[in-house]
Amino acid sequence: LITDTRDATHLGLQFAPPRIDLNGVRGHWLKVVDTMSKNLAFLCKARKVEYVNGRGTFRDGRTVQVEGGVAYRFEHCVVATGSTPVRPPAFFGTNNPRVMDSTGALQLEDVPPRLLVVGGGYIGLEMGYVYAALGSKVTVVELTEGLLPGVDRDLVLPLHKRLETLFDKIYLRTKVVKLEDVKGGIKAFLEGADVADKEPVFERVLVAVGRKPNTRDIGLDKAGVAVDDKGFVTVDEKRRTTSERIFAIGDVAGEPMLAHKATYEGKIAAAAILGEKAVYDVRAVPAVVFTDPEIAWCGLTETEAKKQKREVKKVKFNWLASGRAMTLARTEGVTKLLIDPETERVLGVGIVGVDAGEMIGEAMLAIEMSATAKDLALTMHAHPTLSETIYEAAEDFYGVATHKAPSKKN
Ligand code: NAD
């Protein structure tokens, strides 16, 4: 519904904001959630998994008590209690329903004329994008010097440029020092060098400044489960906690807080419980920011390579030279490979562009299989597709990318 902007771009309307309507989006969202929940209930039944709805707490290392219900004595238990949004108490103490977290923002109750997004990370940009597409004037306030801190700057740049056309304002190095209820809205007090109006008013505020693991108040101490100073459950490579029979997976078991990491860990824990040889030993975890364009990366990033002072050879393929990107009128993308100069192994891949999240699967396989740039360059890719940009970037490592003029060195 949202990335269908490509239909519009076919008509030459590059970067035209997508036209989506609230009821259409909400109706579709409800249908998807309902169908997926029903499917899960069906799969639970088919696998003889009993589903109990209630709040559970550990009584000891073998028992979980469900509030107002029965106590379960278990052979093994897997903790997957997830995380909750951080709410800085000093200025987000307000209980005003106009101040939302990601769960509230996903309800799509209305389209606020003016929306303040505090935090320019995953949630802030994804939800800010949705509300901008619905028609809100979105202001993003980010504490650090760039959107999506930690992500390679060359990948963020095309998204930042696009967001500048969709959002009303993007303030970097800026702080929200206080939020105050006023008639018909929330007044935000902003502190930042580039801020013109330091006390703007918004109909709604989305707070997206990070998440913290849900490890408090579930009796982990009674069960002998240790938690580190950031609140994450301490786990070993099988995802076993410090309590013999208890395992932990997902957001409670450490960063990155991503759903696919949780699923993967769940399978490792289940195999370990069954006594199989299984450890969490991945070379990479894919990350995708679901904006338009998307940003996706896996393995080593340039930022990490610099920090580690690790020598890597970077090859980049600009989507301006991709036939498929041209037909989509979305040539702002970039595909980047980081290659070990000695072994020629692919160490990391970063992509910004439409469908980057779909393309990162190939990059993950390459990294997990220790593929070299040659492996990618010798793998035929369908034409015309965006995946050819991975292929051409790999060819570029050898100076022979078909759609790139050879550099003088080569
Ligand atoms: P985040 O860590 O991605 O971003 C938080 C941002 O808020 C950072 O840029 C940070 O610098 C900024 N910030 C912190 N304090 C601030 C303040 N007081 N004022 C202004 N800015 C401030 O966190 P998130 O967006 O809340 O998402 C939480 C986690 O959920 C993510 O780290 C990610 O692991 C997960 N997530 C993933 C996806 C996905 O996979 N597409 C989507 C949503 C969430």
Side-chain angles (χ1 to χ4, degrees):
L1 277 169
I2 292 156
T3 50
D4 268 351
T5 44
R6 277 177 291 169
D7 293 343
T9 55
H10 272 303
L11 305 173
L13 301 172
Q14 191 169 17
F15 293 163
R19 268 176 245 132
I20 55 175
D21 98 285
L22 181 65
N23 289 333
V25 174
R26 201 196 293 114
H28 182 64
W29 168 68
L30 286 171
K31 213 165 109 195
V32 170
V33 173
D34 185 54
T35 307
M36 290 183 70
S37 307
K38 282 185 182 142
N39 285 351
L40 277 180
F42 164 80
L43 287 172
C44 278
K45 218 170 156 192
R47 293 192 173 125
K48 300 192 171 57
V49 174
E50 188 191 353
Y51 167 66
V52 179
N53 189 342
R55 191 187 151 72
T57 45
F58 286 101
R59 262 205 216 149
D60 53 46
R62 294 220 54 178
T63 326
V64 165
Q65 172 73 52
V66 176
E67 202 175 75
V70 292
Y72 288 84
R73 186 171 162 79
F74 55 81
E75 286 297 318
H76 293 100
C77 177
V78 179
V79 181
T81 44
S83 59
T84 36
V86 171
R87 258 186 170 231
F91 47 96
F92 298 125
T94 169
N95 279 329
N96 191 321
R98 290 180 187 276
V99 181
M100 314 179 283
D101 57 24
S102 54
T103 312
L106 280 167
Q107 301 305 312
L108 295 171
E109 274 182 29
D110 56 17
V111 180
R114 291 163 301 179
L115 171 71
L116 170 65
V117 174
V118 190
Y122 281 80
I123 294 172
L125 299 190
E126 289 177 352
M127 290 313 299
Y129 185 91
V130 170
Y131 277 92
L134 284 164
S136 293
K137 279 177 90 174
V138 175
T139 296
V140 173
V141 171
E142 164 59 40
L143 194 63
T144 67
E145 59 192 15
L147 298 175
L148 294 165
V151 181
D152 286 349
R153 291 301 93 189
D154 54 350
L155 301 180
V156 176
L157 188 66
L159 174 65
H160 191 136
K161 278 192 187 157
R162 173 103 203 269
L163 292 179
E164 275 177 339
T165 69
L166 287 178
F167 291 173
D168 193 35
K169 292 193 179 69
I170 299 175
Y171 291 128
L172 304 176
R173 285 175 244 96
T174 302
K175 247 189 188 165
V176 178
V177 281
K178 195 170 81 168
L179 293 177
E180 192 179 279
D181 295 351
V182 293
K183 197 164 173 259
I186 301 269
K187 185 187 276 189
F189 295 78
L190 309 182
E191 247 178 44
D194 307 326
V195 183
D197 177 5
K198 295 209 179 324
E199 296 180 14
V201 173
F202 300 89
E203 281 72 26
R204 281 190 185 268
V205 178
L206 164 61
V207 182
V209 296
R211 300 180 68 89
K212 55 174 190 223
N214 289 332
T215 45
R216 295 176 75 192
D217 309 325
I218 53 171
L220 289 176
D221 48 337
K222 287 187 192 147
V225 174
V227 172
D228 70 15
D229 51 3
K230 286 187 175 158
F232 291 110
V233 174
T234 308
V235 289
D236 67 10
E237 74 283 0
K238 291 180 185 300
R239 293 308 181 247
R240 193 189 297 272
T241 69
T242 47
S243 187
E244 182 70 17
R245 293 172 181 276
I246 303 176
F247 292 71
I249 60 163
D251 289 5
V252 282
E255 306 257 21
M257 297 193 194
L258 298 171
H260 41 269
K261 190 205 80 164
T263 315
Y264 195 99
E265 290 176 314
K267 292 188 180 191
I268 301 294
I273 289 168
L274 290 171
E276 291 171 13
K277 282 188 184 158
V279 290
Y280 183 85
D281 180 22
V282 298
R283 289 213 168 144
V285 177
V288 183
V289 183
F290 291 98
T291 41
D292 183 22
E294 294 178 349
I295 301 183
W297 67 97
C298 63
L300 188 70
T301 64
E302 222 180 316
T303 313
E304 284 161 1
K306 269 185 201 140
K307 249 192 232 161
Q308 294 170 16
K309 299 202 169 75
R310 180 165 186 178
E311 202 197 324
V312 289
K313 167 100 172 111
K314 173 171 75 170
V315 278
K316 251 169 138 177
F317 190 81
N318 196 312
W319 289 22
L320 275 168
S322 153
R324 184 59 179 148
M326 265 186 250
T327 63
L328 296 170
R330 294 299 301 269
T331 50
E332 78 275 22
V334 171
T335 298
K336 172 169 77 171
L337 308 183
L338 297 182
I339 314 276
D340 184 316
E342 276 183 22
T343 63
E344 301 191 355
R345 277 195 184 162
V346 181
L347 301 174
V349 177
I351 307 170
V352 54
V354 281
D355 288 343
E358 299 296 331
M359 290 162 64
I360 209 68
E362 176 182 352
M364 278 297 293
L365 191 64
I367 291 174
E368 282 292 352
M369 304 287 288
S370 304
T372 60
K374 187 67 91 194
D375 291 322
L376 287 179
L378 288 178
T379 304
M380 198 186 293
H381 286 64
H383 178 75
T385 62
L386 295 170
S387 71
E388 286 173 293
T389 63
I390 295 181
Y391 168 65
E392 294 228 34
E395 284 190 316
D396 189 34
F397 180 74
Y398 304 101
V400 294
T402 311
H403 295 94
K404 195 168 173 180
S407 72
K408 288 203 179 107
K409 272 189 295 183
N410 300 314

